[in-house]
Amino acid sequence: MTLHHHDAIALSRRNLLRSSVLLGAGVAVGALPFGSSLAHAAVGFEARWPNVTAMLDKYVSERKVAGMVAVLGWGDKDPGFIVRGKEAFDDPDMAGENSLFRAYSQTKPVTGMAAMMLIDDRKLKLDQPVADFIPEFANMRVAIDPKSSLESRPAQNQITVRHLLTHTAGLGYAGVGKEKVSAELLRLGVTPAVLTRMKIPGLPVSPPTPGPDEFVKLAASVPLVSEPGTEWHYSMSLDVLGVVIQRASGAKSFEAFLQERMFDPIGMKSSYFRVPATEVHRLTANYGLMGGFPLPIDPSKTSIYRDRPAFAFGGSGLVCSPADYDRFLKMIANGGLVGSKRVMGAAAVALGVSNLLPDGVSTKGTFIDGAGNGAGGRSGLGRDAGTFGWGGAAGTVGFVNVRMGLRAGIYTQYMPSEALPVHAEFPQKVLADIGGMRGA
């Protein structure tokens, strides 16, 4: 039986899908515009990003991680890459821009922007009830005290597309939340992510995740943790949204929709929900940090990502290269354009990176305290406005600032993400280097 990554108690189970606070405060502050001559000065790329480079040098030289790839780009220009280390500690292949990394929750902005495409197509509405596409969600119930029991009352509000985009639907997250609701989802196998095929002694194993139709039926059978549209609660909502997108678009599957409308038009040729056998040689190894020591939990040759998943998990299922995810961010930075080809409407992109939280909902006290929530990603507010992105459970981060035309990402593989401060540190290093460019 497959061990789902929510079950990895020794790896801080609740934090595996949770993205740390990222896109740190002030990335947009007084930033260097992408058109500045300093941004494209005729000096070595790494020399322009000394703090980011030093960060990679430190983590790899100290063997905290096997390898790291940083991607930085401006406007419609091609990105630069800073690369250190290998695809695995025991792999002769160096890490690089085309190595494959488990994106985990970095999948969420991809799903969010896919929904914005359908809103632009008028096949979805932002405040449309999800029950229009998943009837089982028409009569949801809310747990009266989700921390202690599953006793529930009828929900007063319908779950909407906006709620799924912004983690305000009231849904739980199997093994991640501390309430009875998430424990029940785990018991039922409503676990939209995988970690490894390895059996780790002493760890509970949930039932196999069912296909998308049965998944949403089971999800709808469990009470909500809060009234829809009233609280920010990190959840499986983007996985449910992937099913909505498939049904609203009429596509064969959510994966097929992404391939046709996003991956192919953008040129994302190294983005998969199942790694083809011919590409396994590019897949990095994933490590669990046990007492600070990296132990392999998903080696590439035996990776669970070689198996076909129950369905394409819109909240955590993507495996991609740093170059591919940068292409996605570049499309956003350029208002939906890839070269002269329009992949998304400019208004849809602008709406997707904005704060879409329902009126009255605050992120205060959550792990994105002080931020907004856009289409599946953190949305900056105030001086941080224009910043949009998210991090993944295995240490990856990707974000864009549409005001600056900046896009940035860092890729490595370790769990839990909070074992090292990569999520918070990377945006800070980017900001420090931008400040250096402005002062040059």
Side-chain angles (χ1 to χ4, degrees), residues 51-68 84-85 89 289 294 410 412 414 417 419-426 429:
N51 288 284
V52 173
T53 300
M55 176 184 171
L56 271 69
D57 284 335
K58 178 178 184 291
Y59 280 110
V60 175
S61 66
E62 293 179 354
R63 295 182 63 84
K64 297 289 180 63
V65 298
M68 263 187 167
R84 295 291 187 274
F89 282 112
L289 294 185
I410 196 161
T412 188
Y414 70 90
S417 63
L420 298 173
V422 170
H423 279 180
E425 187 177 353
F426 177 63
K429 300 302 184 184

Side-chain angles (χ1 to χ4, degrees), residues 13 75 78 97 173 178 352 357 401:
R13 183 178 70 187
D78 289 339
E97 62 194 78
Y173 216 161
K178 293 189 289 187
L357 286 172
N401 186 293

Side-chain angles (χ1 to χ4, degrees), residues 251-332:
K252 180 180 178 180
S253 65
F254 174 53
E255 183 177 7
F257 176 87
L258 288 178
Q259 195 69 49
E260 179 182 350
R261 293 292 303 274
M262 187 176 290
F263 296 166
D264 287 346
I266 293 176
M268 297 171 66
K269 297 181 179 180
S270 294
S271 295
Y272 313 102
F273 288 90
R274 179 191 188 185
V275 178
T278 56
E279 307 303 324
V280 169
H281 68 281
R282 292 195 282 145
L283 180 61
T284 54
N286 193 16
Y287 293 88
L289 294 185
M290 309 289 190
F293 296 97
L295 299 176
I297 55 176
D298 193 43
S300 60
K301 291 182 179 179
T302 57
S303 175
I304 196 166
Y305 284 92
R306 299 185 66 172
D307 296 347
R308 185 170 299 282
F311 60 100
F313 302 135
S316 68
L318 193 62
V319 174
C320 65
S321 69
D324 257 24
Y325 206 87
D326 179 73
R327 292 182 179 101
F328 168 68
L329 295 178
K330 185 177 180 181
M331 182 273 293
I332 295 173

Side-chain angles (χ1 to χ4, degrees), residues 187-420:
R187 187 187 71 81
L188 293 173
V190 187
T191 50
V194 291
L195 170 66
T196 178
R197 65 173 77 251
M198 294 171 60
K199 294 182 179 180
I200 302 177
L203 297 183
V205 179
S206 66
T209 305
D213 294 344
E214 183 64 17
F215 179 92
V216 293
K217 287 179 182 178
L218 288 171
S221 72
V222 179
L224 302 172
V225 297
S226 60
E227 184 68 38
T230 64
E231 295 181 18
W232 191 92
H233 187 93
Y234 197 51
S235 72
M236 61 176 176
S237 61
L238 276 300
D239 302 289
V240 174
L241 184 60
V243 180
V244 171
I245 290 169
Q246 180 265 315
R247 294 183 181 184
S249 66
K252 180 180 178 180
S253 65
F254 174 53
E255 183 177 7
F257 176 87
L258 288 178
Q259 195 69 49
E260 179 182 350
R261 293 292 303 274
M262 187 176 290
F263 296 166
D264 287 346
I266 293 176
M268 297 171 66
K269 297 181 179 180
S270 294
S271 295
Y272 313 102
F273 288 90
R274 179 191 188 185
V275 178
T278 56
E279 307 303 324
V280 169
H281 68 281
R282 292 195 282 145
L283 180 61
T284 54
N286 193 16
Y287 293 88
L289 294 185
M290 309 289 190
F293 296 97
L295 299 176
I297 55 176
D298 193 43
S300 60
K301 291 182 179 179
T302 57
S303 175
I304 196 166
Y305 284 92
R306 299 185 66 172
D307 296 347
R308 185 170 299 282
F311 60 100
F313 302 135
S316 68
L318 193 62
V319 174
C320 65
S321 69
D324 257 24
Y325 206 87
D326 179 73
R327 292 182 179 101
F328 168 68
L329 295 178
K330 185 177 180 181
M331 182 273 293
I332 295 173
N334 290 283
L337 287 174
V338 175
S340 60
K341 178 172 59 179
R342 181 156 294 285
V343 176
M344 284 184 68
V349 173
L351 183 61
V353 302
S354 70
N355 181 26
L356 299 176
L357 286 172
D359 290 342
V361 175
S362 170
T363 59
K364 185 175 177 60
T366 73
F367 67 85
I368 63 164
D369 192 337
N373 205 128
R378 178 195 186 279
S379 176
L381 301 176
R383 298 170 69 191
D384 196 24
T387 305
F388 172 80
W390 204 248
T396 61
V397 175
F399 67 92
V400 62
N401 186 293
V402 296
R403 296 198 311 183
M404 297 162 56
L406 168 72
R407 56 192 197 274
I410 196 161
Y411 299 86
T412 188
Q413 301 280 252
Y414 70 90
M415 300 180 89
S417 63
E418 292 186 350
L420 298 173

Side-chain angles (χ1 to χ4, degrees), residues 6-37:
H6 305 302
D7 299 328
I9 295 175
L11 300 179
S12 186
R13 183 178 70 187
R14 286 200 311 110
N15 295 328
L16 288 179
L17 269 185
R18 214 181 82 164
S19 298
S20 300
V21 178
L22 54 96
L23 319 185
V27 168
V29 180
L32 184 71
F34 69 80
S36 168
S37 61

